[in-house]
Amino acid sequence: MGSTATKEGRAQELLRLKSEYLVPCVYHFYKDPPVIVRGEGCHLFDDLGRQYLDCLSGVAVMSAGHRNPEIIGPAIEQILMLQHTTTIYLTDPILRLAKALSELAPGKLSRSFFCASGSEAVEGALMTSVLHTGKPRIIATTNSLHGRTRWAMNATGTPMWRTDPFPPDDVSHVPFGDADALADELARHADQTAAFIAEPIQSNGGINVPPDGYWQRVRELCDEHQVLLVLDEVQTGFNRTGRWFACEHFGIVPDIMAVSKAMGNGFPIGAFITTDDIAQSYTRPGASTHGGNPVNATAALAVIDCHTKHRLGQRAQESGQYLLEQLTDVTGQKTHLGPPRGIGLMIGIPVINADDTPDAQRCDLILERLKDLRVLAGKSGPDRNILTLMPPLTIVRQEIGELIDAIQEATA
Ligand SMILES: Cc1ncc(COP(=O)(O)O)c(C=O)c1O
């Protein structure tokens, strides 16, 4: 804690700096935000020493928990040995990681391109689909989020994240979960369409699980029209939903898959993974300065080991099931909460008015109360009224009990 700390903490001073020096698009949660200074397991701590149960995991990043020694240990050793070179030199971690990913990824996905973020992973996946098919257009879904680079933002369907006032005319959007709408769009434009991109389960769009049969039908439609299926597993990947990749729930394999977030557990890494055949279309020089950096690649390898050793997929499935059951009891007693939904530890609870319309204001109030009860949660959905829970996958029953108690109280 710096010398300027008072018993009120440093929030006011940091808010002043933020209002002066950050681009105003960078929003924060809470009217009275805590200053987070430390993380440990499922908990965050503020500058006044208060402990919070982290139920957002830095937006689905810290799946293996904060300050996990099994991940930061090897990364620190790597920092001390060799931090950075770029891919113009041969280094070992990037190649071991690519091999490990090809073993984890479904079907014939075997070749990776590494970058530093989810947006770049999506951008690379879309570029590769255009290169491979020789077709210029993309179909994406409403209420999606794919990133902030120009193409990823244009593929994004949620209006609040579509900041570009002049989006290029190369993406059309169909409703998520509606295979007939995709079939109609493909019937009209398949000859111009390189890929259909979507999240297997929409996360920022409000924890939307598509209806049974949707993904199988989408896979068939893409094959029928020779359009590639790009899955954005940036948020759903790495056991968030109880499987390494959410597409495994639906028994389908994409042609290209974008990953990031929990893959690095706090180290900035992303990748797109594709088949040998598709990868052969991308032969012009391509480089990402930080992509596959030895430190981030070492951390990602440690993440894979940690998830495997501690069976985090199975834990996410079991804890998620238990949390969903408990939440169903709570929401059943409250008129302003809809039924909870989700898979694994990706759960959303609609906050609604008496006539079932979204109540974003009450959602904000609940988030604020939860924070005062020392639980940090999130919100999602086009109306920002879906209370969103994505704790580290290492969360234990007692912590889930604390979360349920806090939700009971905050929604009273
Ligand atoms: C599904 C999905 N794709 C892509 C992105 C963009 O990732 P990044 O913020 O690392 O660029 C996000 C970010 O939240 C996301 O949720």
Side-chain angles (χ1 to χ4, degrees):
M1 212 186 292
S3 57
T4 49
T6 66
K7 72 177 172 24
E8 282 82 37
R10 294 187 61 206
Q12 292 313 314
E13 178 194 344
L14 297 190
L15 285 171
R16 238 186 345 268
L17 289 172
K18 185 169 186 282
S19 70
E20 210 168 325
Y21 295 110
L22 287 189
V23 175
C25 69
V26 183
Y27 278 81
H28 56 263
F29 272 14
Y30 309 122
K31 289 198 198 85
D32 175 23
V35 177
I36 303 299
V37 293
R38 189 162 73 82
E40 183 82 49
C42 291
H43 292 102
L44 290 169
F45 297 83
D46 72 11
D47 61 342
L48 296 170
R50 294 178 295 203
Q51 175 179 304
Y52 300 85
L53 185 61
D54 180 6
C55 291
L56 196 55
S57 306
V59 192
V61 169
M62 305 306 289
S63 289
H66 294 275
R67 217 164 71 119
N68 186 322
E70 292 176 29
I71 296 166
I72 58 178
I76 290 168
E77 267 178 44
Q78 182 62 51
I79 288 174
L80 296 173
M81 183 65 93
L82 173 70
Q83 192 180 357
H84 180 78
T85 59
T86 84
T87 46
I88 59 175
Y89 302 107
L90 274 181
T91 56
D92 171 271
I94 185 175
L95 297 172
R96 281 194 295 127
L97 177 60
K99 183 166 182 287
L101 275 183
S102 97
E103 284 158 10
L104 274 190
K108 292 185 182 157
L109 302 182
S110 63
R111 286 188 180 263
S112 294
F113 179 94
F114 292 101
C115 51
S117 69
S119 300
E120 286 174 85
V122 166
E123 199 79 16
L126 296 182
M127 168 62 72
T128 304
S129 67
V130 165
L131 283 174
H132 184 68
T133 60
K135 298 189 277 184
R137 294 186 61 83
I138 301 295
I139 303 175
T141 61
T142 53
N143 295 338
S144 56
L145 170 60
H146 296 296
R148 278 161 317 286
T149 51
R150 202 157 194 225
W151 215 349
M153 181 180 284
N154 199 14
T156 293
T158 304
M160 71 174 278
W161 300 119
R162 291 178 57 79
T163 305
D164 186 348
F166 306 110
D169 177 27
D170 56 8
V171 179
S172 52
H173 292 88
V174 295
F176 180 70
D178 182 347
D180 290 341
L182 176 63
D184 288 348
E185 186 66 14
L186 285 171
R188 282 194 297 274
H189 299 300
D191 59 334
Q192 289 293 300
T193 303
F196 172 64
I197 181 171
E199 301 149 80
I201 297 163
Q202 284 189 331
S203 35
N204 193 277
I207 318 296
N208 301 320
V209 183
D212 286 349
Y214 172 70
W215 277 116
Q216 287 83 350
R217 181 80 187 111
V218 168
R219 181 66 271 186
E220 284 164 13
L221 284 168
C222 288
D223 289 344
E224 206 176 295
H225 290 279
Q226 286 161 11
V227 162
L228 298 183
L229 174 58
V230 176
L231 282 187
D232 180 344
E233 293 255 14
V234 166
Q235 199 155 157
T236 47
F238 285 80
N239 287 318
R240 172 54 52 193
T241 69
R243 307 291 280 264
W244 279 104
F245 304 102
C247 61
E248 295 169 34
H249 291 288
F250 309 110
I252 55 143
V253 178
D255 298 298
I256 312 180
M257 185 165 81
V259 289
S260 186
K261 290 194 183 263
M263 178 188 184
N265 210 67
F267 289 85
I269 187 163
F272 71 83
I273 312 164
T274 190
T275 63
D276 183 43
D277 178 43
I278 294 170
Q280 297 309 329
S281 301
Y282 196 169
T283 53
R284 285 170 67 98
S288 156
T289 301
H290 291 109
N293 162 305
V295 176
N296 297 336
T298 298
L301 278 162
V303 165
I304 293 172
D305 286 348
C306 176
H307 278 237
T308 306
K309 182 172 161 199
H310 299 285
R311 300 176 301 106
L312 292 191
Q314 196 179 330
R315 283 174 65 176
Q317 207 180 320
E318 289 163 5
S319 300
Q321 184 64 35
Y322 176 70
L323 177 55
L324 204 58
E325 282 163 16
Q326 299 290 307
L327 286 170
T328 305
D329 285 349
V330 174
T331 57
Q333 308 154 14
K334 318 237 175 193
T335 51
H336 57 273
L337 297 180
R341 60 197 189 213
I343 299 187
L345 281 170
M346 179 180 255
I347 293 179
I349 309 162
V351 182
I352 49 176
N353 293 302
D355 61 356
D356 273 4
T357 53
D359 190 345
Q361 246 180 327
R362 191 192 287 267
C363 188
D364 280 344
L365 188 70
I366 293 171
L367 280 176
E368 198 86 35
R369 284 187 186 153
L370 281 173
K371 181 260 300 173
D372 293 337
L373 293 164
R374 309 281 189 264
V375 169
L376 304 180
K379 60 179 169 177
S380 62
D383 300 300
R384 306 328 264 174
N385 70 314
I386 310 295
L387 187 64
T388 302
L389 304 173
M390 295 193 288
L393 311 182
T394 51
I395 193 167
V396 295
R397 285 289 159 104
Q398 189 199 325
E399 291 158 343
I400 293 178
E402 289 164 18
L403 168 60
I404 296 292
D405 290 348
I407 290 179
Q408 272 285 18
E409 197 173 334
T411 57

